[in-house]
Amino acid sequence: MKMNLPNKLSLLRLILIPFFVLFFTLSESFYLNSTLVIYFRYIAAFIFIIASLTDYFDGEIARKNNLITNFGKLIDPLADKTLVCCTLICLSNYEYIPLFCTLICIFREFMISTFRLVAVEQGVVIAASKWGKYKTASQMISIVLILCNIHTINKYLYYLTYIIFYVSIILTIISLIDYVFKNKDVILNSGV
């Protein structure tokens, strides 16, 4: 069976992640000249933006052309989680964001993945919720602002960048609570 375009875009997002990590890590290197470091940072930001756009377009194309598949419902959130978690780990590692924020996000993603795996065993596919989409959008916007060093231009942009980031952390917690309450029957019916 041939893979549809939305699923190919989700796979492309997964493929771009190691390239993002490579260029971001190079942009933090003390051994390279400052011009090269800046180029690497913008290449990393560009890769992240392209990967984020594939998230938007795969969903739009799937809904518009009725190409929604069970594989797509699983691979799309997996690609989102992997992209965001890897990026947050990179940002925490170089102290652009607090580690506890990254840990909250990773915990949420593991919990949702666990719910989805248990649901699949019961023949249920849990699609992304609106809270999860808001969380993802705010995370991606704040990450782009941090990657492009917008927060270093002036104090207002600094506050704006980190307000958006902390809103994404609040939405991360809200979306986890929303998933748990909406899908508690999945866990209850699993025999735990």
Side-chain angles (χ1 to χ4, degrees):
M1 185 170 151
K2 189 175 179 184
M3 186 178 292
N4 66 33
L5 179 58
N7 292 343
K8 287 179 182 176
L9 289 173
S10 292
L11 287 175
L12 174 61
R13 190 156 60 257
L14 283 172
I15 291 167
L16 289 173
I17 294 168
F19 295 100
F20 165 79
V21 172
L22 172 68
F23 283 104
F24 182 81
T25 303
L26 288 172
S27 78
E28 294 296 323
S29 173
F30 295 110
Y31 302 107
L32 300 173
N33 71 50
S34 60
T35 305
L36 200 53
V37 164
I38 292 168
Y39 287 136
F40 285 147
R41 173 58 71 88
Y42 285 119
I43 291 169
F46 179 74
I47 291 169
F48 183 85
I49 291 167
I50 294 299
S52 298
L53 287 174
T54 66
D55 179 38
Y56 172 77
F57 286 114
D58 68 6
E60 286 296 310
I61 293 167
R63 285 185 290 278
K64 184 178 179 182
N65 297 305
N66 197 24
L67 297 172
I68 298 171
T69 64
N70 285 341
F71 177 74
K73 287 179 184 179
L74 293 173
I75 192 71
D76 177 53
L78 175 66
D80 295 343
K81 292 171 195 301
T82 307
L83 174 65
V84 171
C85 287
C86 287
T87 305
L88 293 176
I89 289 168
C90 287
L91 292 174
S92 290
N93 187 48
Y94 293 102
E95 300 180 353
Y96 287 97
I97 59 172
L99 179 60
F100 80 89
C101 293
T102 298
L103 294 176
I104 288 170
C105 294
I106 291 172
F107 174 78
R108 184 253 186 215
E109 302 310 345
F110 275 106
M111 289 295 294
I112 300 304
S113 295
T114 301
F115 265 84
R116 284 199 168 110
L117 288 172
V118 171
V120 165
E121 288 181 357
Q122 298 175 20
V124 176
V125 176
I126 301 174
S129 74
K130 68 176 182 176
W131 290 108
K133 291 178 181 182
Y134 298 151
K135 179 263 319 171
T136 300
S138 61
Q139 278 179 336
M140 291 185 174
I141 290 168
S142 65
I143 288 169
V144 168
L145 294 175
I146 293 168
L147 289 173
C148 292
N149 287 320
I150 298 299
H151 61 288
T152 62
I153 294 173
N154 66 44
K155 69 179 181 178
Y156 300 110
L157 291 174
Y158 174 87
Y159 292 130
L160 176 65
T161 298
Y162 286 98
I163 286 169
I164 294 169
F165 176 74
Y166 286 110
V167 165
S168 77
I169 299 303
I170 293 166
L171 290 172
T172 297
I173 296 166
I174 291 171
S175 68
L176 174 60
I177 294 167
D178 180 58
Y179 268 104
V180 169
F181 281 108
K182 284 184 178 174
N183 301 294
K184 63 184 178 293
D185 292 339
V186 168
I187 295 297
L188 296 174
N189 294 334
S190 70
V192 174

